[in-house]
Amino acid sequence: MPKKLVIKVTAGADSPERCSQAFTVAAVAVASGVEVSLWLTGESAWFALPGRAAEFELPHSAPLPDLVEAVRTGGRITLCTQCAARRDITEKDVLEGVRIAGAQVFVQEIMADGVQALVY
């Protein structure tokens, strides 16, 4: 039975290495055939918006737009409801395919059988 990987990334440009690690692990998991759900919380919430990933730079890391696209294409990206509200981000603002959902949905995902959760 294939496992599902749920990754919550809490960092953005404020902690670039942690942020990049989360997106890299998510993209590699998708490429490996793992079902991936990536949650954007805190400062990573900005990466739900078009063009924001292109502003992110970290030497010796994969380009963030490529990682976001890999996860968006082969997995699911969710933006935290409260994080979106605090930044005045609405469903009409986000990249196509990104959903906005809250803690109840996150808890349901991580409590399901066969799920591994990681937080960065």
Side-chain angles (χ1 to χ4, degrees):
M1 169 189 230
K3 279 187 127 179
K4 179 177 181 179
L5 183 60
V6 178
I7 299 172
K8 179 185 268 193
V9 56
T10 63
D14 59 326
S15 184
E17 287 184 303
R18 192 162 33 114
C19 176
S20 180
Q21 289 168 1
F23 281 95
T24 300
V25 168
V28 168
V30 166
S32 300
V34 175
E35 183 180 349
V36 173
S37 176
L38 179 67
W39 283 73
L40 305 178
T41 68
E43 286 302 299
S44 72
W46 295 114
F47 299 126
L49 299 175
R52 286 296 184 101
E55 298 171 7
F56 180 88
E57 291 185 21
L58 181 64
H60 309 291
S61 65
L64 195 59
D66 295 348
L67 299 175
V68 170
E69 188 59 25
V71 177
R72 196 165 64 105
T73 301
R76 165 167 249 160
I77 298 177
T78 303
L79 172 58
C80 161
T81 302
Q82 291 180 17
C83 300
R86 280 191 282 274
R87 290 161 179 81
D88 294 321
I89 299 172
T90 67
E91 289 181 352
K92 68 179 173 48
D93 300 318
V94 299
L95 293 164
E96 184 179 334
V98 172
R99 70 176 175 169
I100 297 177
Q104 179 183 8
V105 176
F106 179 76
V107 170
Q108 286 174 339
E109 283 192 20
I110 65 171
M111 295 306 294
D113 289 336
V115 173
Q116 173 68 52
L118 301 173
V119 178
Y120 286 89

